[in-house]
Amino acid sequence: MMNNANEISAKTTLFGYIGEHAGVSRFSTLINKLFKQNSKDAMMIPMNIRYDDLYFTVSNMKNSHLSGAVISSEYSSDVVEILDNSSSLVQRSGICDLIFKEGNALHGELFGVRVLTEYLKDARASKIAVLGTSGYAKAFSFLSCGFAVSYFHDNLEELMVMTQELELLDADINRIASGMQVDLSGFDVVLDFSQMEHLGMITSLAPLSFDMKNEKQFSPLKQRANELGTEYKSYDAMLEKLVDTAYKMISK
């Protein structure tokens, strides 16, 4: 058991929380609180890592004292190429937010999107508008059983390729681009997984808008929700649920 001073011993299991602004996130603080409450000799260390240093940091985890790391959303697609093996969801979506060191190999998992789907079920959402074709859009599609999902992207050909890749039969695909007027008020939730720099073409949003951006990242969806007076939630809004799920996976 860790003592009250939270000292690290030679037997302490160490995990990292890797992000551009990891030090200002409450993720490490909250999960360390769970470790302590449950008498686990483990600790998570926030690691502020620039993009240019990401590959070196993660690949050298094999030779470090870390047993794994949680990856902040801004780096979730970049770490996949560094992994030695991964879950089928990571392989199919191309994103990873939890890495375990297994011997001399790095294994990737994805838990954040699972937490998001449970969050939306608890909110009793049914009709979902998904913007973009990123790994988050793919992962959500794989886990979206029970939701009626419509897909939006500025490139319809790219959107069709994604839905075919995901084997989505008769998918509802729609174009969204500058100069258009797009009304999304008929949905329960709008999820922005796109790379669009602005969403001014959206004239009406759903009651709830959500993306996987943290508070330090610019969110076009947050900006548009504020302009239209609707509710917006970020990655940080799910933080306690994310921490709880990560803790359970780490503690297995």
Side-chain angles (χ1 to χ4, degrees):
M1 176 180 177
M2 295 184 67
N3 59 32
N4 290 331
N6 292 330
E7 293 179 351
I8 299 174
S9 72
K11 296 181 180 179
T12 302
T13 302
L14 298 177
F15 289 89
Y17 178 71
I18 295 176
E20 187 176 6
H21 305 285
V24 299
S25 172
R26 294 169 55 236
F27 200 110
S28 299
T29 300
L30 292 175
I31 202 167
N32 285 334
K33 185 177 179 180
L34 287 178
F35 287 144
K36 193 169 185 178
Q37 287 176 348
N38 292 279
S39 301
K40 300 288 187 182
D41 189 4
M43 180 176 282
M44 182 167 286
I45 303 168
M47 302 171 64
N48 292 334
I49 304 298
R50 299 178 306 173
Y51 176 78
D52 291 345
D53 298 324
L54 182 66
Y55 185 92
F56 176 83
T57 301
V58 175
S59 60
N60 277 278
M61 194 184 303
K62 297 176 184 180
N63 305 313
S64 74
H65 294 295
L66 294 179
S67 295
V70 171
I71 308 299
S72 186
S73 56
E74 67 268 25
Y75 291 150
S76 60
S77 61
D78 300 299
V79 299
V80 173
E81 64 174 305
I82 312 172
L83 303 173
D84 296 294
N85 54 73
S86 58
S87 69
S88 60
L89 186 57
V90 171
Q91 293 174 27
R92 297 184 71 185
S93 67
I95 56 174
C96 165
D97 55 17
L98 180 58
I99 298 176
F100 291 104
K101 183 167 67 176
E102 298 178 344
N104 198 38
L106 298 179
H107 174 79
E109 292 283 349
L110 180 61
F111 72 96
V113 181
R114 295 185 188 277
V115 174
L116 173 60
T117 59
E118 293 302 316
Y119 190 100
L120 296 179
K121 288 176 183 177
D122 289 344
R124 299 189 176 182
S126 176
K127 295 184 65 178
I128 313 291
V130 173
L131 313 186
T133 58
S134 68
Y136 279 108
K138 294 176 182 179
F140 181 80
S141 297
F142 291 130
L143 301 172
S144 63
C145 181
F147 298 117
V149 183
S150 297
Y151 297 90
F152 294 79
H153 192 48
D154 57 354
N155 186 321
L156 277 182
E157 183 177 352
E158 202 174 297
L159 192 54
M160 290 179 65
V161 169
M162 185 191 81
T163 55
Q164 291 169 0
E165 176 188 334
L166 302 181
E167 300 180 352
L168 299 174
L169 301 178
D170 300 320
D172 181 18
I173 61 174
N174 307 271
R175 187 165 181 263
I176 182 171
S178 296
M180 298 179 66
Q181 291 189 332
V182 182
D183 184 350
L184 300 180
S185 61
F187 295 92
D188 299 319
V189 176
V190 173
L191 302 178
D192 182 19
F193 299 139
S194 74
Q195 303 298 321
M196 300 183 73
E197 296 181 357
H198 75 89
L199 295 172
M201 73 290 293
I202 298 177
T203 57
S204 298
L205 279 166
L208 177 61
S209 297
F210 214 115
D211 61 26
M212 296 300 282
K213 304 284 180 64
N214 61 52
E215 291 180 355
K216 287 292 184 179
Q217 293 175 277
F218 171 69
S219 169
L221 184 62
K222 178 181 180 179
Q223 182 181 60
R224 193 59 179 146
N226 288 340
E227 292 168 351
L228 296 174
T230 57
E231 186 177 7
Y232 162 82
K233 290 185 179 293
S234 67
Y235 178 93
D236 297 279
M238 297 192 301
L239 200 57
E240 292 189 3
K241 292 180 181 293
L242 289 162
V243 166
D244 186 60
T245 300
Y247 170 79
K248 290 175 181 176
M249 294 179 72
I250 286 171
S251 299
K252 283 183 179 180

